[in-house]
Amino acid sequence: MNRRSIARNVQKGFTLIELMIVVAIIGILAAIAIPQYQTYVAKSQVARGMGEAGNLKTAVETCLLEGRTASVSSNIAASLPQGDTECNLQATASSILTGAAQGQGAAVVGATGYPQVTLSATAPSTIVASFGSGAATAIAAAGTNQVTWTRSTEGTWRCFSTVEAKYRPSGCTAGS
């Protein structure tokens, strides 16, 4: 045999065993990464819901200071009249929350819900964000799907959540 025929018989490419090992490694990495990613998504959505509900604290404080506690509206359009005792939260709808627009608030097409606000000058006021159809499955189950901001009559705000501890932001405690 000459040198040329030996050079032609040299194998090029990967063996079946090498390819199977690579596929197995990719499968193991995916089995670890996908659940971690789903947990990350759920945690970030809970933090987002907490922030969206928390953004309404300023509007609630303003309404309480101005005595606008008779009724609450999510987002009164500029063309509609606002009563002297009506609170306009100027809220925006969220794709991860459930809850109808309150009062004169108009539902926004394509968005699924608003935080629900209860106002009182003599009792605790609340802002409740309930996770719904656009949220991760892990946080959308009834009974374990709420973040609640509660304002005491003294004016302090506290955050409570019914979501599982592994998804709950550090600024929110368990409970209602």
Side-chain angles (χ1 to χ4, degrees), residues 18 36 48 54 58 76 80-81 85 93 104 107 123 138 142 149 161 166 172:
E18 290 170 333
Q36 292 298 325
R48 175 182 159 193
T58 304
I76 300 175
L80 295 175
T85 59
Q104 295 187 62
W149 284 98
S161 180
K166 67 181 179 180
C172 252

Side-chain angles (χ1 to χ4, degrees), residues 129-131 138-148 161-164 168 175-176:
S130 299
F131 298 102
I139 60 171
T144 60
N145 67 336
Q146 290 186 335
V147 171
T148 303
S161 180
T162 59
V163 298
E164 286 184 58
R168 191 177 313 124
S176 54

Side-chain angles (χ1 to χ4, degrees), residues 53-88:
N55 288 339
L56 297 179
K57 293 187 298 186
T58 304
V60 168
E61 288 290 340
T62 301
C63 290
L64 290 170
L65 289 171
E66 294 175 355
R68 296 176 175 269
T69 58
S71 64
V72 176
S73 289
S74 295
N75 56 351
I76 300 175
S79 60
L80 295 175
Q82 180 179 346
D84 291 341
T85 59
E86 184 173 16
C87 177
N88 182 9

